[in-house]
Amino acid sequence: MPRFAATNTKRNSELALLLVAMVLVAAYSATVEANMLDTVTLDFWVPAAVLSAVYLALHVVVRFLAPYADPVLLPAVALLNGLGVGFLRRLDLAEVAPAERIDFPIFAGTGGRQLAWTLASLILAAGLLIVIRDHRAVSRYAYTLGLAGLVLMMIPAVLPARFSEVNNAKLWIKVGGFSIQPGEFAKLALLVFFAYYLVRKREVLSLASRRFLGIDFPRGRDLGPVVVVWLFSLMVLVFQKDLGTSLLYFGMFVVTLYIATERASWMIIGLLLFFGGAFLAYFLGSAIGGPFANFYQRAEIWLDPFGDPYNSGFQLVQGLLGLGTGGLFGTGPGGGQPTQVPEVHNDFIFAGMGEEIGLFGLSALLVIYLLIVERGLRAGLAVRDSFGKLMAGGLAFTIALQVFVIVGGISGLIPLTGLTTPFMSAGGSSLMANWLLVAMLLRISHAARSPVTGAAPARTPGTPPAQLHGAPTEVIRP
């Protein structure tokens, strides 16, 4: 007996939330100008208007191509992206002499470039929704995408430092004035492969060999995939000198494996492997240096940032001081000194904003991120195919892990990493990759919320469930 879902697509609710988000962005821009220029110019609304136009264009695409998609995802991401653009323009104004700020062009500086990157990112997101009408079609190219992800991940490691290294981390491809961070796109390609592989192998990986302390542990012969991904993540840690990217790749795989098998033992094994590898890299960095030296230095700064506050620990100390200065309510947008924090437009944008919007403001931003993650997980629970469940769960966790690693780094909870704050930090690679991630979540949530109008087609032998169209509800269980 076919099931029928509600026909209310909630697109008008999405439009209303989108307009509210842009009003908040315009209010933020006006407050910045009031504090930095002692007046509010007639141009304060221009960035918000430009952003509103491009977001409304994407809304129209969603309305026609994914009408049942979650109505909260697009407005929530648009608000974060808009506030990021506004803060980057605020940093641009801080670099200009006070007398010249009122004449500073709207589309100049880092904020202007971020506006351009936002336009490019939304075009990519719309293109994905146009090309991919069913998320299950992506599984047909899983192995190709997996290979492409590995290549993208390793290219910066093999390039000379002058073409790939920024701030002691080899994450970039730099040619002339152009630069791209391929790892941001590699995470999406690898996640498609992880989801497809685990859909096919979850029965084998769910088998238990022995029970210890009430937990069923897998057979030793099934540890191969986890060990392989662990070794690749260690290679990223050693050769690309970046803890955050290493943790992101390994965390994506382990969590996707846990979603597929529902075995807590895989989480325990994953945590033991990662922390074991991190401790090994730390001690090797202390003993022999070489490729492990960068991670050892980051760990030492984390353990005692005030041991050398004017040199190696300067960035972390300034970030902590900025957060402390902001207090509960902050100094107000445009009223602080975020430029005292090195790389505040990238890794430390949360610290810079925290000084001006305070603990309450940062908590609100974290709630928005939490809402995006929750909506992604909800789509994974509701979608009716195993591949979509793993993809949605992995995509949502990717955002959650990035935010945790960033906030943990600037607050001193974990060592600093090279990850950027999703949708807010300056840079085109991260913004485009994360908007592609959101577009895929919109596509999956559309499939999850759309009405089922008929019975599932028969499955021919050897056809993976992920490639069936209109498949019935399928729960991932061992």
Side-chain angles (χ1 to χ4, degrees), residues 171 184 242 244-245 248 346-347 401-402 405-406 417-421:
L171 301 173
E184 292 288 346
D242 186 68
T245 304
L248 180 63
N346 285 327
D347 302 359
L401 183 59
Q402 282 186 262
V405 168
I406 292 156
T417 66
L419 293 179
T420 56
T421 306

Side-chain angles (χ1 to χ4, degrees), residues 42 57 64 80 89 95 111 155 161 172 198 247 275 313 348 421 444:
L42 295 178
F64 285 99
L80 293 173
R89 173 167 170 76
E95 299 295 331
I155 284 176
W172 298 85
L198 292 173
L247 175 59
F275 285 115
F348 273 70
T421 306
I444 295 174

Side-chain angles (χ1 to χ4, degrees), residues 124-140:
L124 280 179
L128 186 145
L129 291 173
I130 293 171
V131 173
I132 300 177
R133 299 299 181 93
D134 188 330
H135 64 275
R136 291 167 291 190
V138 181
S139 65
R140 301 169 188 167

Side-chain angles (χ1 to χ4, degrees), residues 152-173 181-183 236 238-242 245 294 298:
L152 289 172
M153 181 178 69
M154 298 308 297
I155 284 176
V158 301
L159 288 177
R162 67 180 182 274
F163 294 117
S164 62
E165 189 169 313
V166 176
N167 295 328
N168 295 321
K170 300 188 67 175
L171 301 173
W172 298 85
I173 298 175
Q181 194 171 350
V236 172
V238 172
F239 295 108
Q240 295 189 345
K241 306 174 184 178
D242 186 68
T245 304
N294 181 264
R298 285 178 177 261

